[in-house]
Protein backbone atom coordinates (compact mmCIF):
# COMPACT_ATOMS: atom_id res chain seq x y z
CA UNK A 1 0.00 0.00 0.00
CA UNK A 2 1.45 3.38 -0.89
CA UNK A 3 2.34 5.67 2.02
CA UNK A 4 0.41 8.90 2.02
CA UNK A 5 2.67 11.81 1.15
CA UNK A 6 3.40 14.33 3.95
CA UNK A 7 1.61 17.55 3.11
CA UNK A 8 3.78 20.68 2.74
CA UNK A 9 3.12 23.83 4.83
CA UNK A 10 1.92 25.50 1.66
CA UNK A 11 -0.65 22.84 0.92
CA UNK A 12 -1.90 22.93 4.55
CA UNK A 13 -2.40 26.69 4.32
CA UNK A 14 -3.97 26.18 0.95
CA UNK A 15 -6.43 23.64 2.33
CA UNK A 16 -7.29 25.95 5.24
CA UNK A 17 -7.92 28.85 2.90
CA UNK A 18 -11.51 27.85 2.04
CA UNK A 19 -12.26 27.48 5.77
CA UNK A 20 -10.80 30.94 6.42
CA UNK A 21 -12.93 32.32 3.61
CA UNK A 22 -16.04 30.72 5.12
CA UNK A 23 -15.26 31.99 8.64
CA UNK A 24 -14.27 35.42 7.33
CA UNK A 25 -17.38 35.53 5.20
CA UNK A 26 -19.54 34.59 8.17
CA UNK A 27 -17.90 37.34 10.25
CA UNK A 28 -18.54 39.89 7.51
CA UNK A 29 -22.13 38.67 7.14
CA UNK A 30 -22.56 38.91 10.91
CA UNK A 31 -21.18 42.47 10.98
CA UNK A 32 -23.44 43.32 8.04
CA UNK A 33 -26.49 41.82 9.74
CA UNK A 34 -25.64 43.68 12.93
CA UNK A 35 -25.56 46.90 10.92
CA UNK A 36 -21.94 47.75 11.77
CA UNK A 37 -21.13 48.90 8.23
CA UNK A 38 -24.12 51.19 7.83
CA UNK A 39 -25.39 52.80 11.01
CA UNK A 40 -28.52 53.98 9.14
CA UNK A 41 -29.54 50.41 8.31
CA UNK A 42 -32.62 49.07 10.05
CA UNK A 43 -31.78 45.95 12.09
CA UNK A 44 -33.98 43.63 14.17
CA UNK A 45 -32.22 44.90 17.31
CA UNK A 46 -33.04 48.50 16.49
CA UNK A 47 -36.66 47.64 15.71
CA UNK A 48 -37.11 45.72 18.94
CA UNK A 49 -35.28 48.33 21.04
CA UNK A 50 -37.62 50.99 19.68
CA UNK A 51 -40.60 49.33 21.43
CA UNK A 52 -39.05 49.67 24.91
CA UNK A 53 -41.67 51.45 27.02
CA UNK A 54 -40.86 54.42 29.25
CA UNK A 55 -41.36 52.09 32.22
CA UNK A 56 -38.37 49.99 31.03
CA UNK A 57 -38.11 46.69 29.17
CA UNK A 58 -40.48 44.14 30.71
CA UNK A 59 -38.17 41.16 31.00
CA UNK A 60 -39.42 37.85 29.70
CA UNK A 61 -42.38 39.35 27.85
CA UNK A 62 -43.06 39.80 24.14
CA UNK A 63 -41.45 43.10 23.15
CA UNK A 64 -44.70 44.21 21.54
CA UNK A 65 -48.25 42.96 22.09
CA UNK A 66 -46.93 42.04 25.53
CA UNK A 67 -50.34 41.80 27.16
CA UNK A 68 -52.63 39.02 26.03
CA UNK A 69 -54.47 35.82 26.76
CA UNK A 70 -53.88 32.44 25.17
CA UNK A 71 -56.50 30.07 23.76
CA UNK A 72 -56.86 26.75 22.00
CA UNK A 73 -59.49 25.75 19.48
CA UNK A 74 -60.16 24.51 15.99
CA UNK A 75 -60.18 25.84 12.45
CA UNK A 76 -63.06 24.31 10.53
CA UNK A 77 -62.26 24.61 6.81
CA UNK A 78 -65.25 24.49 4.46
CA UNK A 79 -63.17 23.56 1.40
CA UNK A 80 -63.78 26.84 -0.49
CA UNK A 81 -60.24 28.13 0.15
CA UNK A 82 -58.85 25.42 -2.14
CA UNK A 83 -59.88 27.69 -5.04
CA UNK A 84 -57.07 30.01 -3.89
CA UNK A 85 -54.43 27.75 -2.34
CA UNK A 86 -53.71 24.05 -2.35
CA UNK A 87 -52.54 24.20 1.29
CA UNK A 88 -54.02 21.35 3.31
CA UNK A 89 -55.51 23.87 5.75
CA UNK A 90 -58.15 24.72 3.13
CA UNK A 91 -59.31 21.17 2.49
CA UNK A 92 -62.61 20.47 4.20
CA UNK A 93 -61.92 19.41 7.78
CA UNK A 94 -61.00 20.45 11.30
CA UNK A 95 -57.49 21.45 12.31
CA UNK A 96 -56.09 22.30 15.76
CA UNK A 97 -55.44 25.92 16.65
CA UNK A 98 -53.30 27.74 19.15
CA UNK A 99 -54.08 31.44 19.42
CA UNK A 100 -53.64 34.53 21.52
CA UNK A 101 -55.81 37.62 21.91
CA UNK A 102 -53.55 40.56 22.65
CA UNK A 103 -53.07 44.30 22.93
CA UNK A 104 -50.72 46.40 20.81
CA UNK A 105 -48.55 47.60 23.66
CA UNK A 106 -45.08 46.79 24.93
CA UNK A 107 -46.29 47.21 28.51
CA UNK A 108 -47.70 43.94 29.91
CA UNK A 109 -49.39 45.91 32.70
CA UNK A 110 -51.10 48.53 30.54
CA UNK A 111 -54.77 49.04 31.53
CA UNK A 112 -56.92 47.55 28.74
CA UNK A 113 -58.91 50.76 28.16
CA UNK A 114 -55.72 52.66 27.25
CA UNK A 115 -54.67 50.50 24.29
CA UNK A 116 -56.21 51.33 20.92
CA UNK A 117 -55.02 48.34 18.88
CA UNK A 118 -56.15 44.78 19.62
CA UNK A 119 -54.65 41.73 17.94
CA UNK A 120 -54.91 38.00 17.44
CA UNK A 121 -52.03 35.54 16.94
CA UNK A 122 -52.96 32.26 15.25
CA UNK A 123 -51.31 28.93 14.49
CA UNK A 124 -53.23 26.32 12.52
CA UNK A 125 -51.55 22.91 12.25
CA UNK A 126 -52.37 20.32 9.60
CA UNK A 127 -51.77 16.55 9.46
CA UNK A 128 -49.12 17.01 6.72
CA UNK A 129 -46.91 18.49 9.43
CA UNK A 130 -47.25 22.07 8.18
CA UNK A 131 -48.34 25.20 10.02
CA UNK A 132 -49.94 28.48 9.10
CA UNK A 133 -48.95 31.19 11.54
CA UNK A 134 -50.41 34.64 11.41
CA UNK A 135 -50.70 37.73 13.61
CA UNK A 136 -53.55 40.11 12.80
CA UNK A 137 -54.83 43.39 14.20
CA UNK A 138 -58.21 45.11 14.38
CA UNK A 139 -57.28 48.20 12.38
CA UNK A 140 -58.46 48.38 8.74
CA UNK A 141 -54.96 49.39 7.55
CA UNK A 142 -51.48 49.84 8.97
CA UNK A 143 -50.39 53.34 10.07
CA UNK A 144 -47.42 53.53 7.68
CA UNK A 145 -46.24 52.15 4.34
CA UNK A 146 -42.83 50.65 5.14
CA UNK A 147 -40.96 48.96 8.01
CA UNK A 148 -38.51 51.91 8.00
CA UNK A 149 -41.41 54.35 8.48
CA UNK A 150 -42.75 52.18 11.30
CA UNK A 151 -39.37 52.39 13.03
CA UNK A 152 -39.38 56.19 12.60
CA UNK A 153 -42.91 56.26 14.02
CA UNK A 154 -41.80 54.35 17.12
CA UNK A 155 -38.91 56.77 17.61
CA UNK A 156 -41.15 59.82 17.09
CA UNK A 157 -43.79 58.59 19.54
CA UNK A 158 -41.12 58.00 22.21
CA UNK A 159 -39.33 61.30 21.51
CA UNK A 160 -39.20 64.14 24.04
CA UNK A 161 -39.25 66.64 21.16
CA UNK A 162 -42.79 68.12 21.23
CA UNK A 163 -42.71 68.49 17.43
CA UNK A 164 -41.52 64.93 16.73
CA UNK A 165 -44.93 63.57 15.74
CA UNK A 166 -45.74 66.65 13.66
CA UNK A 167 -42.45 66.27 11.78
CA UNK A 168 -43.10 62.56 11.31
CA UNK A 169 -46.63 63.14 9.98
CA UNK A 170 -45.35 65.70 7.48
CA UNK A 171 -42.92 63.13 6.08
CA UNK A 172 -45.44 60.25 6.23
CA UNK A 173 -48.86 61.65 5.29
CA UNK A 174 -50.39 58.15 5.20
CA UNK A 175 -50.52 58.26 9.02
CA UNK A 176 -53.45 60.73 8.83
CA UNK A 177 -55.89 57.97 7.82
CA UNK A 178 -54.82 55.88 10.79
CA UNK A 179 -55.21 58.87 13.11
CA UNK A 180 -58.74 59.39 11.79
CA UNK A 181 -59.55 55.71 12.37
CA UNK A 182 -58.13 55.80 15.91
CA UNK A 183 -60.21 58.90 16.74
CA UNK A 184 -63.48 57.69 15.29
CA UNK A 185 -63.67 53.87 15.35
CA UNK A 186 -65.83 52.58 18.18
CA UNK A 187 -64.20 50.80 21.12
CA UNK A 188 -65.83 47.56 22.26
CA UNK A 189 -65.92 45.63 25.50
CA UNK A 190 -64.68 42.31 24.11
CA UNK A 191 -61.98 40.62 22.07
CA UNK A 192 -64.92 38.63 20.66
CA UNK A 193 -66.36 41.72 18.95
CA UNK A 194 -63.31 42.68 16.89
CA UNK A 195 -62.48 41.99 13.27
CA UNK A 196 -58.82 40.94 12.93
CA UNK A 197 -56.99 41.69 9.65
CA UNK A 198 -53.74 40.36 8.18
CA UNK A 199 -53.13 43.75 6.50
CA UNK A 200 -50.00 42.35 4.86
CA UNK A 201 -50.49 40.60 1.57
CA UNK A 202 -49.32 37.09 0.72
CA UNK A 203 -49.37 34.94 -2.42
CA UNK A 204 -51.54 31.81 -2.50
CA UNK A 205 -51.02 29.21 -5.22
CA UNK A 206 -53.97 27.02 -6.23
CA UNK A 207 -53.92 23.44 -7.48
CA UNK A 208 -53.58 24.56 -11.11
CA UNK A 209 -50.45 26.56 -10.26
CA UNK A 210 -52.17 29.97 -10.52
CA UNK A 211 -51.08 32.65 -8.03
CA UNK A 212 -53.46 34.92 -6.11
CA UNK A 213 -52.22 37.84 -4.01
CA UNK A 214 -54.40 37.93 -0.92
CA UNK A 215 -55.08 39.38 2.51
CA UNK A 216 -57.32 37.74 5.09
CA UNK A 217 -59.54 38.68 8.00
CA UNK A 218 -61.38 37.04 10.89
CA UNK A 219 -64.92 38.39 11.16
CA UNK A 220 -66.60 38.14 14.57
CA UNK A 221 -69.83 36.22 14.99
CA UNK A 222 -70.63 38.50 17.93
CA UNK A 223 -71.97 41.90 16.80
CA UNK A 224 -69.82 44.78 18.10
CA UNK A 225 -71.34 47.08 20.71
CA UNK A 226 -69.70 50.50 21.09
CA UNK A 227 -68.53 51.38 24.60
CA UNK A 228 -66.62 54.56 25.43
CA UNK A 229 -63.05 54.24 26.78
CA UNK A 230 -64.20 56.01 29.98
CA UNK A 231 -66.84 53.37 30.52
CA UNK A 232 -64.32 50.60 29.72
CA UNK A 233 -61.83 52.04 32.23
CA UNK A 234 -64.43 51.49 34.97
CA UNK A 235 -64.42 47.76 34.17
CA UNK A 236 -60.89 47.42 35.55
CA UNK A 237 -57.39 47.17 34.03
CA UNK A 238 -57.80 43.56 32.82
CA UNK A 239 -61.45 43.52 31.78
CA UNK A 240 -60.69 42.08 28.32
CA UNK A 241 -59.16 38.82 29.51
CA UNK A 242 -61.75 38.48 32.28
CA UNK A 243 -64.57 39.01 29.80
CA UNK A 244 -63.23 36.55 27.20
CA UNK A 245 -62.54 33.90 29.84
CA UNK A 246 -66.10 34.20 31.10
CA UNK A 247 -67.56 34.22 27.59
CA UNK A 248 -65.69 31.14 26.35
CA UNK A 249 -66.54 29.28 29.56
CA UNK A 250 -70.16 29.71 28.46
CA UNK A 251 -69.56 28.17 25.02
CA UNK A 252 -67.27 28.26 21.99
CA UNK A 253 -66.65 31.52 20.20
CA UNK A 254 -66.62 31.80 16.39
CA UNK A 255 -64.98 33.97 13.75
CA UNK A 256 -65.43 33.55 9.98
CA UNK A 257 -62.22 33.60 8.00
CA UNK A 258 -62.44 35.53 4.74
CA UNK A 259 -59.62 35.63 2.18
CA UNK A 260 -59.68 38.59 -0.24
CA UNK A 261 -57.84 38.47 -3.56
CA UNK A 262 -56.25 41.56 -5.11
CA UNK A 263 -56.98 42.75 -8.63
CA UNK A 264 -54.01 43.54 -10.84
CA UNK A 265 -52.67 46.97 -9.86
CA UNK A 266 -53.91 46.87 -6.24
CA UNK A 267 -51.30 48.09 -3.72
CA UNK A 268 -50.00 44.71 -2.53
CA UNK A 269 -46.72 46.08 -1.10
CA UNK A 270 -48.28 48.74 1.12
CA UNK A 271 -50.44 47.68 4.12
CA UNK A 272 -51.44 51.30 4.76
CA UNK A 273 -53.60 51.12 1.60
CA UNK A 274 -56.91 49.23 1.67
CA UNK A 275 -58.15 47.43 -1.41
CA UNK A 276 -61.51 48.39 -2.93
CA UNK A 277 -64.51 46.73 -1.27
CA UNK A 278 -65.60 44.85 -4.41
CA UNK A 279 -62.63 42.48 -4.54
CA UNK A 280 -63.22 38.71 -4.70
CA UNK A 281 -63.72 37.52 -1.12
CA UNK A 282 -63.91 33.82 -0.24
CA UNK A 283 -65.23 32.52 3.09
CA UNK A 284 -62.80 29.71 3.79
CA UNK A 285 -63.90 28.49 7.20
CA UNK A 286 -64.50 29.20 10.86
CA UNK A 287 -62.13 29.75 13.76
CA UNK A 288 -63.65 28.21 16.88
CA UNK A 289 -62.15 29.39 20.18
CA UNK A 290 -62.83 26.50 22.54
CA UNK A 291 -60.76 27.09 25.63
CA UNK A 292 -58.96 30.00 27.25
CA UNK A 293 -55.52 28.89 28.40
CA UNK A 294 -53.20 30.25 31.06
CA UNK A 295 -51.18 33.14 29.65
CA UNK A 296 -48.20 33.09 31.97
CA UNK A 297 -46.92 29.58 31.64
CA UNK A 298 -49.42 28.33 29.12
CA UNK A 299 -48.97 27.01 25.59
CA UNK A 300 -48.55 30.48 24.01
CA UNK A 301 -45.56 31.45 26.09
CA UNK A 302 -42.99 29.79 23.89
CA UNK A 303 -44.46 30.41 20.48
CA UNK A 304 -43.59 33.12 18.00
CA UNK A 305 -46.53 33.88 15.69
CA UNK A 306 -44.10 34.65 12.86
CA UNK A 307 -46.18 35.58 9.79
CA UNK A 308 -43.65 34.02 7.42
CA UNK A 309 -44.29 30.51 8.77
CA UNK A 310 -46.55 29.37 5.94
CA UNK A 311 -47.56 26.01 4.51
CA UNK A 312 -46.89 24.94 0.93
CA UNK A 313 -49.40 26.81 -1.23
CA UNK A 314 -48.73 30.15 0.49
CA UNK A 315 -45.72 32.47 0.31
CA UNK A 316 -44.78 36.04 1.05
CA UNK A 317 -45.49 38.71 -1.57
CA UNK A 318 -43.79 41.98 -2.54
CA UNK A 319 -45.01 43.40 0.80
CA UNK A 320 -41.78 44.16 2.74
CA UNK A 321 -43.40 43.85 6.18
CA UNK A 322 -43.50 40.07 6.77
CA UNK A 323 -39.70 39.73 6.39
CA UNK A 324 -39.09 42.68 8.73
CA UNK A 325 -41.64 41.31 11.17
CA UNK A 326 -40.10 37.84 11.05
CA UNK A 327 -36.65 39.15 12.00
CA UNK A 328 -38.06 41.39 14.76
CA UNK A 329 -40.28 38.62 16.18
CA UNK A 330 -37.29 36.25 16.25
CA UNK A 331 -35.23 38.86 18.09
CA UNK A 332 -38.05 39.46 20.55
CA UNK A 333 -38.43 35.70 21.01
CA UNK A 334 -34.69 35.23 21.58
CA UNK A 335 -34.61 37.98 24.15
CA UNK A 336 -37.70 36.96 26.05
CA UNK A 337 -36.74 33.29 26.23
CA UNK A 338 -33.22 34.27 27.40
CA UNK A 339 -34.95 36.32 30.11
CA UNK A 340 -37.03 33.33 31.26
CA UNK A 341 -35.66 33.58 34.79
CA UNK A 342 -37.58 36.88 35.08
CA UNK A 343 -40.79 35.28 33.83
CA UNK A 344 -42.99 34.16 35.57
CA UNK A 345 -42.80 37.25 37.64
CA UNK A 346 -44.25 36.05 40.92
CA UNK A 347 -42.72 33.70 43.44
CA UNK A 348 -45.74 31.40 43.37
CA UNK A 349 -45.45 30.68 39.64
CA UNK A 350 -43.26 27.89 38.43
CA UNK A 351 -42.01 27.19 34.95
CA UNK A 352 -43.24 23.91 33.45
C1 LIG B 1 -42.26 46.27 10.94
C2 LIG B 1 -43.44 46.13 11.52
C3 LIG B 1 -43.66 45.34 12.80
C4 LIG B 1 -42.79 45.09 13.83
C5 LIG B 1 -41.34 45.54 13.97
C6 LIG B 1 -43.51 44.28 14.80
C7 LIG B 1 -42.97 43.81 15.98
C8 LIG B 1 -43.56 42.88 16.83
C9 LIG B 1 -42.90 42.18 17.90
C10 LIG B 1 -41.45 42.40 18.31
C11 LIG B 1 -43.79 41.33 18.45
C12 LIG B 1 -43.55 40.33 19.59
C13 LIG B 1 -43.15 38.96 18.98
C14 LIG B 1 -42.86 37.86 19.99
O1 LIG B 1 -42.10 38.07 20.94
O2 LIG B 1 -43.37 36.73 19.80
C15 LIG B 1 -45.03 41.50 17.75
C16 LIG B 1 -46.19 40.84 18.01
C17 LIG B 1 -47.34 41.00 17.29
N1 LIG B 1 -47.53 41.75 16.15
FE1 LIG B 1 -46.16 42.87 15.23
N2 LIG B 1 -44.78 44.05 14.34
C18 LIG B 1 -44.91 44.69 13.12
C19 LIG B 1 -46.02 44.70 12.30
C20 LIG B 1 -47.20 44.08 12.61
C21 LIG B 1 -48.35 44.04 11.74
C22 LIG B 1 -48.42 44.64 10.33
C23 LIG B 1 -49.31 43.35 12.41
C24 LIG B 1 -50.70 42.97 11.99
C25 LIG B 1 -51.23 43.17 10.83
C26 LIG B 1 -48.76 42.94 13.68
C27 LIG B 1 -49.41 42.20 14.65
C28 LIG B 1 -48.83 41.64 15.76
C29 LIG B 1 -49.54 40.80 16.69
C30 LIG B 1 -51.02 40.42 16.64
C31 LIG B 1 -48.59 40.38 17.64
C32 LIG B 1 -48.83 39.47 18.83
C33 LIG B 1 -48.66 38.01 18.42
C34 LIG B 1 -48.61 37.15 19.67
O3 LIG B 1 -49.63 37.03 20.34
O4 LIG B 1 -47.53 36.60 19.94
N3 LIG B 1 -47.48 43.39 13.76
N4 LIG B 1 -44.86 42.45 16.74
Amino acid sequence: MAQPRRPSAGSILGSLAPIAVVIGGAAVAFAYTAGWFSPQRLTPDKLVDAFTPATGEPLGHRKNHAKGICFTGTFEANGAGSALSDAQVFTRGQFPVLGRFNLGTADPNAPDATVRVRGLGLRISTPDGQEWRSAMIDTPFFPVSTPQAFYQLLLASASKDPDAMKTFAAAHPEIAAFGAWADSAPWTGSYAEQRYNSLNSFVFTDGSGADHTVRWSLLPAVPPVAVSPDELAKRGPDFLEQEITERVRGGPLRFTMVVTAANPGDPTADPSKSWPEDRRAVEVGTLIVQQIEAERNGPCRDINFDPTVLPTGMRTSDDPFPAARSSAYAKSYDRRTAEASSYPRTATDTKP
Side-chain angles (χ1 to χ4, degrees), residues 9 56 74 123-124 197 211 218 222 238 271:
T74 301
R123 182 190 67 186
I124 311 177
N197 307 301
D211 284 344
L218 289 170
V222 179
D238 306 319

Side-chain angles (χ1 to χ4, degrees), residues 62 65 100 102 135-136 142 150 198 305 325 329 332 336:
R62 285 166 166 80
H65 296 257
R100 183 172 174 267
N102 53 66
M136 295 155 267
F142 204 63
F150 187 53
S198 76
F305 292 101
R325 293 175 65 186
Y329 290 24
S332 169
R336 63 184 169 90

